Amino acid sequence: MRRPARITQTRPRPPRASCATPSTRAADVGEAVVVAPLTSSDRADWQRLAEGYKAFYATPTTPADYNAAWARLMASDTVRGFGARLDGRLVGIVHFIFHASTWADRVCYLQDLFTDESARGRGVARALIDAVADATRANGASRLYWMTQAHNATARALYDRVAMNRGFIRYEHPLG
């Protein structure tokens, strides 16, 4: 298990040696959003949020799929997950993957990001993105990227403020 340490989210940050650091960011209504690596005790709350994410994107997922995803998050140094808390309650999750690319030794793909409906608009998604950006720098990756569906206007409003849309369109080739 990776041990959390503190990060301040209010000014530019230098690179760090690991991504085991929780982030604290003031929420819009005064309480702090605390971001830290997911731990085994987060399993039930993670599943609730992961099910919300999968429902939003209308992606059928079996209990075995959730079990396998959780096992990867807990066991892997490549597939990682952070959770965001408000008042001690897990209200957001993010999953991210480090990998090589043709043009860089290490890049980071932010794969899944979801905030509980009750916590939206309170800085949770931004804090999760900032924590992944910190982990990306700390792990020597040269790029952080992600994608979303065109209809996800709420998320895209945030993404347009914190990142650059380079205009790519995603295709998937059927394999079966």
Side-chain angles (χ1 to χ4, degrees):
M1 174 170 66
R2 294 179 280 266
R3 185 175 184 275
R6 199 159 188 75
I7 295 175
T8 302
Q9 295 285 334
T10 56
R11 55 182 154 34
R13 295 154 310 273
R16 275 179 280 296
S18 79
C19 75
T21 308
S23 304
T24 303
R25 188 177 196 287
D28 294 340
V29 292
E31 70 271 38
V33 175
V34 178
V35 174
L38 292 167
T39 65
S40 59
S41 64
D42 294 322
R43 176 62 163 96
D45 288 329
W46 169 85
Q47 175 121 7
R48 174 182 52 82
L49 294 166
E51 287 173 352
Y53 174 81
K54 292 300 216 170
F56 178 82
Y57 283 110
T59 308
T61 306
T62 68
D65 292 334
Y66 286 109
N67 290 337
W70 182 253
R72 273 191 294 281
L73 285 165
M74 293 294 101
S76 179
D77 195 39
T78 304
V79 179
R80 301 181 188 189
F82 285 160
R85 288 181 171 68
L86 282 173
D87 295 325
R89 184 173 158 256
L90 194 66
V91 295
I93 56 173
V94 66
H95 307 140
F96 55 104
I97 301 167
F98 289 105
H99 64 91
S101 79
T102 303
W103 307 109
D105 289 334
R106 194 161 173 88
V107 297
C108 183
Y109 173 54
L110 189 158
Q111 186 172 28
D112 308 317
L113 175 67
F114 187 77
T115 301
D116 186 87
E117 193 171 338
S118 68
R120 291 185 187 151
R122 297 167 68 184
V124 174
R126 175 78 181 248
L128 287 164
I129 292 169
D130 287 347
V132 174
D134 287 342
T136 300
R137 284 187 288 275
N139 282 270
S142 61
R143 180 171 35 112
L144 168 60
Y145 70 102
W146 64 89
M147 62 182 114
T148 193
Q149 289 186 336
H151 70 77
N152 195 353
T154 302
R156 290 182 68 197
L158 170 63
Y159 300 162
D160 287 344
R161 287 192 307 274
V162 301
M164 293 173 25
N165 178 342
R166 300 218 183 245
F168 285 91
I169 299 169
R170 176 184 164 188
Y171 293 89
E172 288 187 25
H173 188 284
L175 298 176

